[in-house]
Amino acid sequence: MTARLIDGAALAAQARLGVQERVTQLARVGRAVQLTAILVGSTPAAEVYAENQSRTSHAVGIDYHLIKLPATATMDDVRAAIENLNDDPAVTGIMLHLPLPKQLDATVLQHAINPVKDVEGVSPANIGYVVYGHTLIAPCTALAVIELIKSTGVNLCGLEAVVVGASEIAGKPISLLLTEQKATVTLCHIETKHLIEHTRRAEVLVVAVGKAGLIGADHVKEGAIVIDVGINRITLPDGTKKTVGDVQFEAVSEKAAYITPVPGGVGPMTVAMLLKNTLRSAELLLQQNDTNTPT
Ligand code: NAD
């Protein structure tokens, strides 16, 4: 079998268009969508990431602000910045760039973000809502994975899904959203014995580890849907650098029914889901305001 490509870049462009239309409608009635990101300390990579985010947000009409705090910022400093944004009615979405300097606890700070403004869906409250089946804002990468699978037209209900990688940012939320779709989910991690015995059963295989080429053709069931979340920079024998996933793309393409490329798969879709979540936050706040406004 030769796999069909799931074109994350094209699907992301489509999703962005939908966001842009609704953001424009809201702006016309004076309800601007505004995302503020907090960057603590600065590395060239973080600056580039924030710059890209600013560009993609503005492209769909979302007003993007970046607050830069020094690398020496304390928990109190960052918490105060978050609380100001929580209280500011002009700010409809908040995100905290990771990684943080080591004196800061990311989980505690993410917990401080108003769950309705938490556009990354990382606050413990939002993760909890997913567990209880009342999703408010879902984590972006997990949402991207679900959207990419749905684009194949295959119904996840009852399918055997295996997720490799069990981090808080990727694997665990992905397994939660797959469970919500009623797939039968196995979550594998570094301590999983005989990984291949699990992955070979997967009708849907999602890999989020960060190890180039971890999954080869032998790991994959004929006709599976393979979603590669991994992003790895490797150096080729001629010294050039290349971005690859965790899946051996060429070999696995011969066996899978559908596969995502890296780059151009989960990555762009995750960015599109951040914009979609930013719009959702703004809409949820509007609903709250309308409910609280006396008639
Ligand atoms: P992480 O290091 O926090 O977690 C890695 C997970 O993989 C852990 O649960 C670990 O137990 C598991 N693991 C490690 N080696 C394994 C092995 N040999 N077999 C099975 N499991 C193993 O990484 P992360 O933050 O979850 O990121 C994973 C990858 O996904 C990275 O390449 C990252 O760049 C990428 N990523 C991409 C996006 C995106 O939007 N495209 C978002 C988040 C992460």
Side-chain angles (χ1 to χ4, degrees):
M1 173 171 283
T2 303
R4 276 198 253 171
L5 199 71
I6 304 177
D7 186 346
L11 291 162
Q14 221 174 306
R16 287 197 304 269
L17 210 58
V19 171
Q20 185 175 12
E21 278 171 16
R22 183 65 186 136
V23 168
T24 309
Q25 280 172 0
L26 289 175
R28 275 201 206 106
V29 292
R31 316 273 204 161
V33 179
Q34 204 255 60
L35 170 61
T36 298
I38 300 174
L39 177 62
V40 187
S42 184
T43 61
E47 295 277 348
V48 169
Y49 185 67
E51 182 53 42
N52 284 342
Q53 212 168 48
S54 168
R55 198 163 4 90
T56 41
S57 297
H58 285 129
V60 297
I62 294 173
D63 189 15
Y64 178 90
H65 292 230
L66 182 66
I67 295 179
K68 290 186 186 178
L69 298 177
T72 52
T74 63
M75 285 293 283
D76 284 345
D77 296 334
V78 185
R79 203 184 281 110
I82 291 172
E83 279 163 8
N84 279 338
L85 299 174
N86 283 342
D87 293 342
D88 185 343
V91 177
T92 57
I94 303 169
M95 65 160 286
L96 184 60
H97 282 287
L98 298 182
L100 293 169
K102 59 182 179 309
Q103 75 275 15
L104 301 176
D105 183 330
T107 312
V108 171
L109 292 170
Q110 284 167 335
H111 194 49
I113 299 173
N114 174 352
V116 176
K117 294 190 179 187
D118 166 35
V119 295
E120 290 186 293
V122 289
S123 123
N126 279 323
I127 302 289
Y129 286 131
V130 173
V131 171
Y132 288 107
H134 304 291
T135 305
L136 192 67
I137 311 266
C140 304
T141 304
L143 265 183
V145 167
I146 298 294
E147 290 294 315
L148 292 169
I149 297 169
K150 283 188 172 171
S151 76
T152 65
V154 173
N155 185 355
L156 273 163
C157 185
L159 288 193
E160 202 68 48
V162 174
V163 181
V164 187
S167 71
E168 282 72 30
I169 189 87
K172 283 182 191 167
I174 291 167
S175 69
L176 282 176
L177 291 200
L178 286 167
T179 305
E180 200 185 28
Q181 296 294 316
K182 301 203 170 6
T184 302
V185 183
T186 304
L187 180 58
C188 302
H189 45 73
I190 186 83
E191 301 296 343
T192 298
K193 294 187 180 77
H194 314 302
L195 178 69
I196 198 166
E197 287 174 15
H198 297 282
T199 58
R200 267 187 188 157
R201 284 191 294 103
E203 293 168 293
V204 175
L205 177 61
V206 183
V207 191
V209 170
K211 289 187 178 160
L214 176 72
I215 300 296
D218 286 351
H219 289 83
V220 176
K221 186 185 173 83
E222 188 83 35
I225 299 174
V226 179
I227 308 291
D228 192 352
V229 183
I231 303 172
N232 308 288
R233 286 291 282 170
I234 59 162
T235 307
L236 297 174
D238 68 1
T240 54
K241 301 257 186 209
K242 191 180 177 198
T243 300
V244 297
D246 293 343
V247 174
Q248 295 171 25
F249 183 80
E250 307 293 341
V252 171
S253 293
E254 293 301 316
K255 221 164 164 192
Y258 294 93
I259 190 166
T260 57
V262 178
V266 178
M269 202 59 179
T270 298
V271 177
M273 292 303 105
L274 178 76
L275 300 174
K276 204 169 169 183
N277 276 353
T278 303
L279 170 61
R280 179 156 169 79
S281 285
E283 305 247 37
L284 287 168
L285 285 165
L286 273 179
Q287 280 169 23
Q288 275 186 355
N289 290 345
D290 291 348
T291 312
N292 295 337
T293 307
T295 48

